[in-house]
Amino acid sequence: MSTPTTPIPAETAADNQKKVLNRLKRAQGQLSSVIAAVESGAECRDVVIQLAAVSKALDRAGFTIVSSAMKDCVSGTGEKSDPMTVDELEKLFLTLA
């Protein structure tokens, strides 16, 4: 017997922009902490851990941007400029990998 499923609502461009901005602001705060840690002579381990957190936050923001572009390309919505080709999307995605 099959269980009915509820469709997951599609995220809007505004939702994606909010996610990206939140991640970038988090990364900005983390980067400020890294700079302060280096300036104060903090332990190498602590600096590297904070730097990894910045890197992860930036990567996640980038992946959100790319995945949003992919959804727009597949659905035929979105971009104000010329639509991206599959090759362009792949190249853009791989710049984050």
Coordinates of all heavy atoms in Angstrom, one line a residue:
M1 N 0.8 -1.2 0.0 CA 0.0 0.0 0.0 C 0.9 1.2 0.0 O 1.8 1.4 0.8 CB -0.9 0.0 1.2 CG -1.9 1.1 1.3 SD -2.9 1.1 2.7 CE -4.3 0.2 2.1
S2 N 0.6 2.2 -0.8 CA 1.4 3.4 -1.0 C 0.9 4.5 0.0 O -0.3 4.7 0.2 CB 1.2 3.9 -2.4 OG 1.9 5.1 -2.5
T3 N 1.8 5.2 0.6 CA 1.5 6.3 1.5 C 1.5 7.6 0.7 O 2.5 7.8 0.0 CB 2.6 6.3 2.6 OG1 2.7 5.1 3.3 CG2 2.2 7.4 3.6
P4 N 0.4 8.4 0.9 CA 0.4 9.6 0.1 C 1.6 10.5 0.6 O 1.9 10.6 1.8 CB -0.9 10.2 0.4 CG -1.5 9.5 1.5 CD -0.7 8.2 1.7
T5 N 2.1 11.3 -0.3 CA 3.2 12.2 0.1 C 2.8 13.6 -0.2 O 1.9 13.9 -1.0 CB 4.5 11.9 -0.7 OG1 4.2 12.1 -2.1 CG2 5.0 10.6 -0.5
T6 N 3.3 14.5 0.6 CA 3.0 15.9 0.5 C 4.2 16.5 -0.3 O 5.3 16.4 0.1 CB 2.9 16.6 1.8 OG1 1.9 15.9 2.6 CG2 2.5 18.1 1.7
P7 N 3.9 17.2 -1.4 CA 5.0 17.8 -2.2 C 5.7 18.9 -1.3 O 5.1 19.6 -0.5 CB 4.3 18.5 -3.4 CG 2.8 18.5 -3.1 CD 2.6 17.5 -2.0
I8 N 7.0 18.9 -1.5 CA 7.8 20.0 -0.9 C 7.7 21.3 -1.7 O 7.9 21.3 -2.9 CB 9.3 19.5 -0.8 CG1 9.4 18.2 0.0 CG2 10.2 20.6 -0.2 CD1 10.8 17.6 -0.1
P9 N 7.3 22.4 -1.0 CA 7.1 23.6 -1.7 C 8.5 24.1 -2.3 O 9.5 23.9 -1.7 CB 6.6 24.6 -0.7 CG 6.9 24.0 0.7 CD 7.1 22.5 0.4
A10 N 8.4 24.6 -3.5 CA 9.6 25.1 -4.2 C 10.1 26.4 -3.5 O 9.2 27.2 -3.0 CB 9.3 25.4 -5.6
E11 N 11.4 26.5 -3.4 CA 11.9 27.7 -2.8 C 11.9 28.8 -3.8 O 12.2 28.6 -5.0 CB 13.4 27.5 -2.3 CG 13.4 26.5 -1.2 CD 14.9 26.3 -0.7 OE1 15.8 26.4 -1.6 OE2 15.1 26.0 0.5
T12 N 11.6 30.0 -3.4 CA 11.6 31.2 -4.3 C 13.0 31.8 -4.3 O 13.9 31.4 -3.6 CB 10.6 32.2 -3.7 OG1 11.1 32.8 -2.5 CG2 9.2 31.7 -3.5
A13 N 13.2 32.6 -5.3 CA 14.4 33.3 -5.5 C 14.7 34.1 -4.2 O 15.9 34.2 -3.8 CB 14.4 34.2 -6.7
A14 N 13.7 34.7 -3.6 CA 13.9 35.5 -2.3 C 14.4 34.6 -1.2 O 15.2 35.0 -0.4 CB 12.6 36.2 -2.0
D15 N 13.8 33.3 -1.1 CA 14.3 32.4 -0.1 C 15.7 32.1 -0.3 O 16.5 32.0 0.6 CB 13.5 31.1 -0.2 CG 12.0 31.2 0.2 OD1 11.7 32.2 0.9 OD2 11.2 30.4 -0.3
N16 N 16.1 31.8 -1.6 CA 17.5 31.4 -1.8 C 18.4 32.6 -1.5 O 19.5 32.4 -1.0 CB 17.7 31.0 -3.3 CG 17.2 29.6 -3.5 OD1 17.2 28.8 -2.7 ND2 16.7 29.4 -4.7
Q17 N 18.0 33.8 -1.9 CA 18.8 35.0 -1.6 C 19.0 35.2 -0.1 O 20.1 35.5 0.4 CB 18.2 36.3 -2.2 CG 19.0 37.5 -2.0 CD 18.4 38.8 -2.6 OE1 17.2 38.8 -2.8 NE2 19.3 39.7 -2.8
K18 N 17.9 34.9 0.7 CA 18.0 35.1 2.1 C 19.0 34.0 2.7 O 19.8 34.4 3.5 CB 16.7 34.9 2.7 CG 16.6 35.1 4.2 CD 15.2 35.0 4.8 CE 15.2 35.2 6.3 NZ 13.9 35.1 6.9
K19 N 19.0 32.8 2.2 CA 19.9 31.8 2.6 C 21.3 32.2 2.3 O 22.2 32.0 3.2 CB 19.6 30.4 1.9 CG 18.5 29.6 2.5 CD 18.4 28.3 1.8 CE 17.3 27.5 2.3 NZ 17.2 26.2 1.6
V20 N 21.6 32.6 1.1 CA 22.9 33.0 0.7 C 23.4 34.2 1.6 O 24.5 34.1 2.0 CB 22.9 33.4 -0.8 CG1 24.3 34.0 -1.2 CG2 22.7 32.2 -1.7
L21 N 22.6 35.2 1.8 CA 23.0 36.3 2.6 C 23.3 35.9 4.0 O 24.3 36.4 4.6 CB 21.9 37.4 2.5 CG 21.9 38.2 1.2 CD1 20.7 39.1 1.2 CD2 23.2 39.0 1.0
N22 N 22.5 35.0 4.6 CA 22.7 34.5 5.9 C 24.1 33.8 6.0 O 24.9 34.0 6.9 CB 21.6 33.6 6.4 CG 20.4 34.4 6.8 OD1 20.4 35.6 7.0 ND2 19.2 33.7 6.8
R23 N 24.4 33.0 5.0 CA 25.6 32.2 5.0 C 26.8 33.2 4.9 O 27.8 33.0 5.5 CB 25.6 31.2 4.0 CG 24.7 30.0 4.3 CD 24.6 29.1 3.1 NE 23.4 28.3 3.2 CZ 23.3 27.0 3.6 NH1 24.4 26.4 3.9 NH2 22.2 26.4 3.7
L24 N 26.7 34.2 4.0 CA 27.8 35.1 3.8 C 28.0 36.0 5.0 O 29.2 36.3 5.3 CB 27.5 36.0 2.5 CG 27.5 35.2 1.2 CD1 27.1 36.2 0.1 CD2 28.9 34.7 0.9
K25 N 26.9 36.4 5.6 CA 27.1 37.2 6.9 C 27.8 36.4 8.0 O 28.6 36.9 8.7 CB 25.8 37.8 7.3 CG 25.3 38.9 6.4 CD 23.9 39.4 6.8 CE 23.4 40.4 5.8 NZ 22.1 41.0 6.2
R26 N 27.4 35.1 8.0 CA 28.0 34.2 9.0 C 29.5 34.0 8.7 O 30.3 34.1 9.6 CB 27.3 32.8 9.0 CG 27.9 31.9 10.0 CD 27.2 30.5 10.0 NE 25.7 30.6 10.0 CZ 24.9 30.0 9.2 NH1 25.4 29.2 8.3 NH2 23.6 30.2 9.3
A27 N 29.8 33.9 7.4 CA 31.2 33.8 7.0 C 32.0 35.1 7.3 O 33.1 35.0 7.8 CB 31.3 33.4 5.5
Q28 N 31.3 36.2 7.1 CA 32.0 37.5 7.4 C 32.3 37.6 8.9 O 33.4 38.0 9.3 CB 31.0 38.6 7.0 CG 31.6 40.0 7.2 CD 30.6 41.1 6.7 OE1 29.4 40.9 6.8 NE2 31.1 42.1 6.1
G29 N 31.4 37.2 9.8 CA 31.6 37.2 11.2 C 32.7 36.2 11.6 O 33.6 36.6 12.4
Q30 N 32.7 35.1 11.0 CA 33.8 34.1 11.3 C 35.1 34.6 10.8 O 36.2 34.4 11.5 CB 33.4 32.7 10.6 CG 32.2 32.1 11.3 CD 31.7 30.9 10.5 OE1 31.8 30.9 9.2 NE2 31.2 29.9 11.2
L31 N 35.2 35.2 9.6 CA 36.4 35.8 9.1 C 37.0 36.9 10.0 O 38.2 36.9 10.3 CB 36.3 36.3 7.7 CG 37.5 36.8 7.0 CD1 38.6 35.7 7.0 CD2 37.2 37.3 5.6
S32 N 36.1 37.7 10.6 CA 36.5 38.7 11.5 C 37.1 38.0 12.7 O 38.2 38.5 13.3 CB 35.3 39.6 12.0 OG 34.9 40.3 10.9
S33 N 36.6 36.9 13.2 CA 37.1 36.2 14.3 C 38.5 35.6 14.0 O 39.4 35.6 14.8 CB 36.2 35.0 14.7 OG 35.0 35.5 15.2
V34 N 38.7 35.1 12.7 CA 40.0 34.6 12.3 C 41.0 35.7 12.3 O 42.1 35.5 12.8 CB 39.9 33.9 10.9 CG1 41.3 33.6 10.4 CG2 39.0 32.7 10.9
I35 N 40.7 36.9 11.8 CA 41.6 38.0 11.7 C 42.0 38.4 13.2 O 43.2 38.6 13.4 CB 41.0 39.2 11.0 CG1 40.8 38.8 9.5 CG2 41.8 40.4 11.1 CD1 40.0 39.7 8.6
A36 N 41.0 38.5 14.0 CA 41.3 38.9 15.4 C 42.2 37.8 16.1 O 43.1 38.2 16.9 CB 40.0 39.0 16.2
A37 N 41.9 36.5 15.8 CA 42.7 35.5 16.4 C 44.2 35.6 15.9 O 45.1 35.4 16.7 CB 42.1 34.1 16.0
V38 N 44.4 35.8 14.6 CA 45.7 35.9 14.1 C 46.4 37.2 14.7 O 47.6 37.1 15.1 CB 45.7 36.0 12.6 CG1 47.1 36.4 12.0 CG2 45.3 34.7 12.0
E39 N 45.7 38.3 14.8 CA 46.3 39.5 15.3 C 46.7 39.3 16.8 O 47.7 39.9 17.3 CB 45.3 40.7 15.2 CG 45.2 41.1 13.8 CD 44.1 42.2 13.6 OE1 43.2 42.3 14.5 OE2 44.1 42.9 12.6
S40 N 45.9 38.5 17.5 CA 46.2 38.3 19.0 C 47.2 37.2 19.2 O 47.5 36.9 20.4 CB 44.9 38.1 19.7 OG 44.3 36.8 19.4
G41 N 47.6 36.5 18.2 CA 48.6 35.4 18.4 C 47.9 34.2 18.9 O 48.6 33.4 19.6
A42 N 46.7 33.9 18.5 CA 46.0 32.7 19.0 C 46.7 31.4 18.5 O 47.5 31.5 17.6 CB 44.6 32.7 18.5
E43 N 46.4 30.3 19.1 CA 47.0 29.0 18.8 C 46.6 28.7 17.3 O 45.5 29.0 16.9 CB 46.4 27.9 19.7 CG 46.8 28.0 21.1 CD 48.3 27.7 21.3 OE1 48.8 26.8 20.6 OE2 49.0 28.3 22.1
C44 N 47.6 28.1 16.6 CA 47.4 27.7 15.2 C 46.2 26.8 15.1 O 45.4 27.1 14.1 CB 48.7 27.0 14.8 SG 48.6 26.3 13.1
R45 N 45.9 25.9 15.9 CA 44.8 25.0 15.9 C 43.5 25.8 15.8 O 42.6 25.5 15.0 CB 44.8 24.0 17.0 CG 43.6 23.0 17.0 CD 43.6 22.1 18.2 NE 44.9 21.4 18.3 CZ 45.4 20.9 19.3 NH1 44.7 20.8 20.4 NH2 46.6 20.3 19.3
D46 N 43.4 26.7 16.7 CA 42.1 27.5 16.8 C 41.9 28.3 15.6 O 40.8 28.4 15.1 CB 42.2 28.5 18.0 CG 42.2 27.7 19.4 OD1 41.8 26.5 19.4 OD2 42.8 28.3 20.3
V47 N 43.0 28.9 15.0 CA 42.9 29.7 13.8 C 42.4 28.8 12.6 O 41.5 29.2 11.9 CB 44.2 30.4 13.5 CG1 44.2 31.1 12.1 CG2 44.5 31.4 14.6
V48 N 43.0 27.7 12.5 CA 42.7 26.8 11.4 C 41.3 26.3 11.5 O 40.5 26.2 10.5 CB 43.7 25.6 11.3 CG1 43.2 24.5 10.3 CG2 45.1 26.1 11.0
I49 N 40.8 26.0 12.7 CA 39.4 25.5 12.9 C 38.4 26.6 12.5 O 37.5 26.4 11.8 CB 39.2 25.1 14.3 CG1 39.9 23.7 14.6 CG2 37.7 24.9 14.6 CD1 39.9 23.3 16.0
Q50 N 38.7 27.9 12.9 CA 37.9 29.0 12.5 C 37.9 29.2 11.0 O 36.9 29.5 10.4 CB 38.3 30.3 13.3 CG 37.9 30.2 14.7 CD 38.4 31.5 15.4 OE1 39.1 32.3 14.9 NE2 38.0 31.6 16.7
L51 N 39.1 29.1 10.4 CA 39.3 29.3 9.0 C 38.5 28.3 8.2 O 37.9 28.6 7.2 CB 40.7 29.3 8.6 CG 41.1 29.8 7.3 CD1 40.6 31.3 7.1 CD2 42.7 29.8 7.1
A52 N 38.5 27.0 8.7 CA 37.7 26.0 8.0 C 36.2 26.3 8.1 O 35.5 26.0 7.1 CB 38.0 24.6 8.7
A53 N 35.8 26.9 9.2 CA 34.4 27.2 9.3 C 34.0 28.3 8.3 O 32.9 28.3 7.6 CB 34.0 27.7 10.7
V54 N 34.9 29.3 8.1 CA 34.7 30.3 7.1 C 34.6 29.7 5.7 O 33.7 30.0 4.9 CB 35.8 31.4 7.1 CG1 35.7 32.4 5.9 CG2 35.8 32.1 8.4
S55 N 35.5 28.8 5.4 CA 35.6 28.2 4.1 C 34.3 27.4 3.8 O 33.7 27.5 2.7 CB 36.8 27.3 4.0 OG 36.9 26.6 2.8
K56 N 33.8 26.7 4.8 CA 32.6 25.9 4.7 C 31.4 26.8 4.4 O 30.6 26.5 3.6 CB 32.4 25.0 5.9 CG 31.2 24.1 5.7 CD 31.1 23.1 6.9 CE 29.9 22.2 6.7 NZ 29.8 21.1 7.7
A57 N 31.3 27.9 5.2 CA 30.2 28.8 5.0 C 30.2 29.4 3.6 O 29.1 29.5 2.9 CB 30.3 29.9 6.0
L58 N 31.4 29.7 3.1 CA 31.5 30.3 1.7 C 31.1 29.2 0.7 O 30.4 29.5 -0.3 CB 32.9 30.8 1.5 CG 33.3 32.1 2.2 CD1 34.7 32.4 2.0 CD2 32.4 33.2 1.8
D59 N 31.6 28.0 0.9 CA 31.3 26.9 0.0 C 29.7 26.7 -0.1 O 29.2 26.6 -1.2 CB 31.9 25.6 0.4 CG 33.4 25.6 0.1 OD1 33.9 26.5 -0.7 OD2 34.1 24.7 0.6
R60 N 29.1 26.7 1.0 CA 27.7 26.4 1.1 C 26.9 27.6 0.4 O 25.9 27.3 -0.3 CB 27.2 26.2 2.5 CG 27.7 24.9 3.1 CD 27.4 24.7 4.6 NE 26.0 24.4 4.9 CZ 25.4 23.3 4.7 NH1 25.9 22.3 4.0 NH2 24.1 23.1 5.1
A61 N 27.4 28.8 0.6 CA 26.7 29.9 -0.1 C 26.9 29.7 -1.6 O 25.9 29.9 -2.4 CB 27.3 31.2 0.3
G62 N 28.1 29.4 -2.0 CA 28.3 29.2 -3.5 C 27.5 28.0 -4.0 O 26.9 28.2 -5.1
F63 N 27.4 26.9 -3.3 CA 26.6 25.8 -3.8 C 25.1 26.2 -3.9 O 24.4 25.8 -4.8 CB 26.8 24.6 -2.9 CG 28.1 23.9 -3.1 CD1 28.9 23.6 -2.1 CD2 28.5 23.5 -4.4 CE1 30.1 23.0 -2.3 CE2 29.7 22.9 -4.6 CZ 30.5 22.6 -3.5
T64 N 24.6 27.0 -2.9 CA 23.2 27.5 -3.0 C 23.0 28.3 -4.2 O 22.0 28.2 -4.9 CB 22.9 28.3 -1.7 OG1 23.1 27.4 -0.6 CG2 21.4 28.8 -1.7
I65 N 23.9 29.2 -4.5 CA 23.8 30.0 -5.7 C 23.8 29.2 -7.0 O 22.9 29.3 -7.9 CB 24.9 31.1 -5.8 CG1 24.8 32.1 -4.6 CG2 25.0 31.8 -7.1 CD1 26.0 33.0 -4.4
V66 N 24.7 28.2 -7.1 CA 24.8 27.4 -8.3 C 23.6 26.5 -8.4 O 23.0 26.3 -9.5 CB 26.1 26.5 -8.3 CG1 26.1 25.5 -9.4 CG2 27.3 27.4 -8.4
S67 N 23.1 25.9 -7.3 CA 21.9 25.0 -7.4 C 20.7 25.8 -7.8 O 19.9 25.3 -8.5 CB 21.7 24.3 -6.1 OG 21.3 25.1 -5.0
S68 N 20.6 27.0 -7.3 CA 19.5 27.9 -7.7 C 19.5 28.2 -9.2 O 18.5 28.1 -9.9 CB 19.6 29.2 -6.9 OG 18.5 30.1 -7.2
A69 N 20.7 28.5 -9.7 CA 20.9 28.7 -11.1 C 20.5 27.5 -11.9 O 19.9 27.5 -13.0 CB 22.3 29.1 -11.5
M70 N 20.9 26.3 -11.4 CA 20.5 25.0 -12.1 C 19.0 24.8 -12.1 O 18.5 24.4 -13.2 CB 21.2 23.8 -11.4 CG 22.7 23.8 -11.7 SD 23.3 22.3 -10.8 CE 25.0 22.5 -11.3
K71 N 18.3 25.1 -11.0 CA 16.9 24.9 -11.0 C 16.2 25.9 -11.9 O 15.3 25.5 -12.7 CB 16.4 25.2 -9.5 CG 16.6 24.0 -8.6 CD 15.9 24.2 -7.3 CE 16.9 24.6 -6.3 NZ 16.3 24.9 -4.9
D72 N 16.7 27.1 -12.0 CA 16.1 28.1 -12.9 C 16.3 27.7 -14.3 O 15.4 27.8 -15.2 CB 16.7 29.5 -12.7 CG 16.3 30.1 -11.3 OD1 15.3 29.6 -10.7 OD2 16.9 31.1 -10.9
C73 N 17.5 27.1 -14.6 CA 17.8 26.7 -16.0 C 16.9 25.6 -16.4 O 16.4 25.6 -17.5 CB 19.3 26.3 -16.1 SG 19.8 25.9 -17.8
V74 N 16.7 24.6 -15.5 CA 15.9 23.4 -15.9 C 14.5 23.8 -16.0 O 13.8 23.3 -16.9 CB 16.1 22.3 -14.8 CG1 15.1 21.2 -14.9 CG2 17.5 21.8 -14.8
S75 N 14.0 24.7 -15.1 CA 12.6 25.0 -15.1 C 12.3 26.1 -16.1 O 11.1 26.4 -16.4 CB 12.1 25.5 -13.7 OG 12.7 26.7 -13.4
G76 N 13.3 26.8 -16.7 CA 13.1 27.8 -17.7 C 12.7 29.1 -17.1 O 12.1 30.0 -17.7
T77 N 13.0 29.3 -15.8 CA 12.6 30.6 -15.1 C 13.9 31.3 -14.7 O 15.0 30.7 -14.8 CB 11.8 30.4 -13.8 OG1 12.5 29.6 -12.9 CG2 10.5 29.6 -14.2
G78 N 13.8 32.5 -14.2 CA 14.9 33.1 -13.5 C 15.7 34.1 -14.2 O 15.2 35.2 -14.5
E79 N 16.9 33.8 -14.6 CA 17.9 34.7 -15.1 C 17.4 35.9 -15.9 O 16.6 35.7 -16.8 CB 19.0 33.9 -15.9 CG 19.8 33.0 -15.1 CD 20.7 33.6 -14.1 OE1 21.4 34.6 -14.4 OE2 20.8 33.1 -13.0
K80 N 17.9 37.1 -15.5 CA 17.6 38.3 -16.2 C 18.4 38.4 -17.5 O 18.1 39.0 -18.4 CB 17.8 39.5 -15.3 CG 16.9 39.5 -14.1 CD 17.2 40.7 -13.2 CE 16.3 40.6 -12.0 NZ 16.7 41.5 -10.9
S81 N 19.6 37.8 -17.4 CA 20.5 37.8 -18.6 C 20.3 36.5 -19.4 O 19.3 35.8 -19.1 CB 22.0 37.8 -18.1 OG 22.3 36.7 -17.3
D82 N 21.1 36.2 -20.3 CA 21.0 35.0 -21.1 C 21.0 33.8 -20.3 O 21.9 33.7 -19.3 CB 22.1 35.0 -22.2 CG 22.0 36.1 -23.2 OD1 20.8 36.5 -23.5 OD2 23.0 36.5 -23.8
P83 N 20.2 32.8 -20.6 CA 20.3 31.5 -19.8 C 21.6 30.9 -19.9 O 22.3 31.0 -21.0 CB 19.1 30.7 -20.3 CG 18.6 31.4 -21.5 CD 19.2 32.7 -21.6
M84 N 22.0 30.2 -18.9 CA 23.3 29.4 -18.9 C 23.1 28.1 -19.6 O 22.1 27.4 -19.4 CB 23.8 29.3 -17.5 CG 24.1 30.6 -16.8 SD 24.7 30.3 -15.1 CE 26.4 29.8 -15.4
T85 N 24.2 27.7 -20.3 CA 24.1 26.3 -20.9 C 24.5 25.3 -19.8 O 25.0 25.7 -18.8 CB 25.1 26.2 -22.0 OG1 26.5 26.4 -21.5 CG2 24.9 27.3 -23.1
V86 N 24.3 24.1 -20.1 CA 24.7 23.0 -19.2 C 26.2 23.0 -19.0 O 26.6 22.9 -17.8 CB 24.2 21.6 -19.7 CG1 24.7 20.5 -18.9 CG2 22.7 21.6 -19.8
D87 N 26.9 23.2 -20.0 CA 28.4 23.3 -19.9 C 28.8 24.5 -19.0 O 29.7 24.3 -18.1 CB 29.1 23.5 -21.2 CG 29.0 22.2 -22.1 OD1 28.8 21.1 -21.5 OD2 29.2 22.3 -23.3
E88 N 28.2 25.6 -19.1 CA 28.5 26.8 -18.3 C 28.1 26.5 -16.8 O 28.9 26.8 -15.9 CB 27.7 28.0 -18.7 CG 28.2 28.6 -20.0 CD 27.3 29.6 -20.6 OE1 26.1 29.6 -20.4 OE2 27.9 30.6 -21.2
L89 N 27.0 25.8 -16.6 CA 26.6 25.5 -15.2 C 27.6 24.5 -14.6 O 28.0 24.6 -13.4 CB 25.2 24.9 -15.2 CG 24.1 25.9 -15.3 CD1 22.7 25.2 -15.6 CD2 24.0 26.8 -14.1
E90 N 28.0 23.5 -15.4 CA 28.9 22.5 -14.9 C 30.3 23.2 -14.6 O 30.8 22.9 -13.5 CB 29.2 21.4 -16.0 CG 30.1 20.3 -15.5 CD 30.4 19.3 -16.6 OE1 29.6 19.2 -17.6 OE2 31.3 18.5 -16.5
K91 N 30.8 24.1 -15.4 CA 32.0 24.8 -15.1 C 31.9 25.6 -13.9 O 32.8 25.6 -13.0 CB 32.4 25.6 -16.3 CG 33.7 26.3 -16.2 CD 34.1 27.1 -17.4 CE 35.4 27.8 -17.3 NZ 35.8 28.6 -18.4
L92 N 30.7 26.3 -13.7 CA 30.5 27.1 -12.5 C 30.5 26.2 -11.3 O 31.1 26.5 -10.3 CB 29.2 27.8 -12.7 CG 28.8 28.9 -11.6 CD1 29.9 30.0 -11.6 CD2 27.4 29.4 -11.9
F93 N 29.8 25.1 -11.3 CA 29.8 24.1 -10.2 C 31.2 23.7 -9.9 O 31.5 23.6 -8.7 CB 28.9 23.0 -10.6 CG 28.7 22.0 -9.5 CD1 27.9 22.2 -8.4 CD2 29.4 20.8 -9.5 CE1 27.8 21.3 -7.3 CE2 29.3 19.9 -8.5 CZ 28.5 20.1 -7.4
L94 N 31.9 23.3 -10.9 CA 33.3 22.7 -10.6 C 34.2 23.8 -10.0 O 35.2 23.4 -9.4 CB 33.8 22.1 -11.9 CG 33.1 20.8 -12.3 CD1 33.7 20.4 -13.7 CD2 33.3 19.7 -11.3
T95 N 34.0 25.1 -10.2 CA 34.9 26.1 -9.6 C 34.8 26.0 -8.1 O 35.7 26.4 -7.4 CB 34.5 27.5 -10.1 OG1 33.2 27.8 -9.7 CG2 34.7 27.7 -11.5
L96 N 33.7 25.4 -7.6 CA 33.5 25.3 -6.1 C 34.1 24.0 -5.6 O 34.2 23.8 -4.4 CB 32.1 25.5 -5.7 CG 31.4 26.8 -6.0 CD1 29.9 26.7 -5.8 CD2 32.1 27.9 -5.1
A97 N 34.3 23.0 -6.5 CA 34.7 21.7 -6.0 C 36.2 21.6 -5.7 O 36.9 22.4 -6.1 CB 34.3 20.7 -7.1

